[in-house]
Amino acid sequence: MRRQQIPRNSTTIVTDPVPVLLTVEGLAQHLGVSIRTVRRLVAERRIPYLKCGHLIRFDPDEVNVWLEAQRVAPVACRR
């Protein structure tokens, strides 16, 4: 199998910057919960995450979308 050769003088345009990913500890701090809670959410596959080998990382944009989906609407008070 031949490798594709990339010309040395070519310029690569990156359109999408690589997002800064959060660790389990960073996400726990961001959400205001314990590390154990974040690990439980991952084990139950209730939160979006990325797995790189044995490392677990979280995309902040995906976490924000997930948080919005978890929002519970207020109910009008009956009197």
Side-chain angles (χ1 to χ4, degrees), residues 70-76:
Q70 304 306 308
R71 188 178 300 274
V72 177
V75 178

Side-chain angles (χ1 to χ4, degrees), residues 10-25:
S10 71
T11 58
T12 305
I13 300 173
V14 177
T15 56
D16 294 331
V18 177
V20 176
L21 301 177
L22 298 171
T23 62
V24 172
E25 295 81 8

Side-chain angles (χ1 to χ4, degrees), residues 46-48 60-73:
R46 292 177 50 197
I47 191 166
D61 294 333
E62 287 184 13
V63 171
N64 289 334
V65 170
W66 175 79
L67 281 173
E68 284 300 317
Q70 304 306 308
R71 188 178 300 274
V72 177

Side-chain angles (χ1 to χ4, degrees), residues 24-68:
V24 172
E25 295 81 8
L27 182 63
Q29 185 178 17
H30 178 69
L31 296 177
V33 298
S34 68
I35 293 171
R36 183 176 178 178
T37 299
V38 173
R39 291 192 186 280
R40 183 177 50 79
L41 291 171
V42 168
E44 295 172 357
R45 295 181 180 239
R46 292 177 50 197
I47 191 166
Y49 64 94
L50 302 165
K51 193 161 186 185
C52 303
H54 68 281
L55 302 174
I56 296 173
R57 297 293 184 258
F58 303 90
D59 183 343
D61 294 333
E62 287 184 13
V63 171
N64 289 334
V65 170
W66 175 79
L67 281 173
E68 284 300 317

